[in-house]
Amino acid sequence: MASQPQSLVRSRPKWLKPFGSEVNWGDAIFRALTLLFGLCVVAILGGMALQMLKASRLSLQAFGLGFITSNAWNPIQDQFGALPFIFGTVVSSLLALSLAVPISLGIAVFLTELCPAWLKNPVAFLIELLAAVPSVVYGLWGIFALAPWMREVVEPALASTLGFLPLFQGPSQGFGMLTGAVILAIMITPTISAVCREVLNAVPGALREGSYALGATRWETLRTVILPFARSGLVGASILGLGRALGETMAITMVIGNRPEISSSLFAPSYTMASVIANEFTEATGDLYLSALSEIGFLLFVVTLILNIIARALVWRVARLPEGGRL
């Protein structure tokens, strides 16, 4: 095909170079619009962070870093410390993660490696359906079903067998740290299992076939080939679940007991950062009170954002590996 004369070739303005190699004005405008939409998300996140930081100004000036290390929470005397809420959030989320990760990984392994084809889609649909249940419904179920069961069955059994440990001492109330962790584990299981399933599906089939060709069993292939290859993605899925647990509000608020104290017993009531904001924001009348709650929200926002960035980076690392690549 003959080349066009140099005089007929359209010159491309220099200011369009950041938008790609297109010379078509429609493509350039479309690319610019989509870039603008993406930047809007960043601007919204930045605006949220700046607004919460601005609202936290009084608390930052009054307490400084002592706000994070103090366990005093007395709105009447304008004494505020976030340590009980940080403790409740971290402990309940980590405990929920320790319960949910083995179950979620087992579900993902079953669906990707062991499940018959005719059963895979129905089971996956039912598991993902758990993520669509509203948080308040989980909370109501926790109040009327989970908490009584924990009080009458689980906590007495733990106290009788492991009561020599401080974690399982104290009265069985049903509403407390352990119950909150259990309901969080149920809520984050669909998220973790779905991401784990996608990560395991991203493992190249040639690795499985090569392992089987060398005489490895299905269990040996899973343990020595598939799981090591997908390790960073599975860790990312767990961190995504942790981020979901950290920000959960209604369900855990309804079953954790909402008492701003630090206790070594998992049976004792506790409080989380999201719960204290939901419970007390409408009752906060003083400026310092509102500022303290805003600072708690800012801390929760920063921690959740960092965890999600780390998790996404780990999951993308597996998804972008070339066929036969290694971590």
Side-chain angles (χ1 to χ4, degrees), residues 97-115:
L97 200 66
S98 66
L99 296 173
V101 168
I103 298 174
S104 301
L105 183 57
I107 292 171
V109 170
F110 173 73
L111 290 177
T112 57
E113 305 295 330
L114 305 173
C115 185

Side-chain angles (χ1 to χ4, degrees), residues 40-52:
C40 284
V41 177
V42 179
I44 291 172
L45 287 175
M48 292 172 59
L50 289 176
Q51 182 59 39
M52 285 187 288

Side-chain angles (χ1 to χ4, degrees), residues 82-125:
L83 186 59
F85 313 114
I86 296 174
F87 173 83
T89 301
V90 171
V91 173
S92 62
S93 299
L94 292 179
L95 186 58
L97 200 66
S98 66
L99 296 173
V101 168
I103 298 174
S104 301
L105 183 57
I107 292 171
V109 170
F110 173 73
L111 290 177
T112 57
E113 305 295 330
L114 305 173
C115 185
W118 63 270
L119 187 60
K120 183 178 298 186
N121 289 334
V123 172
F125 172 77

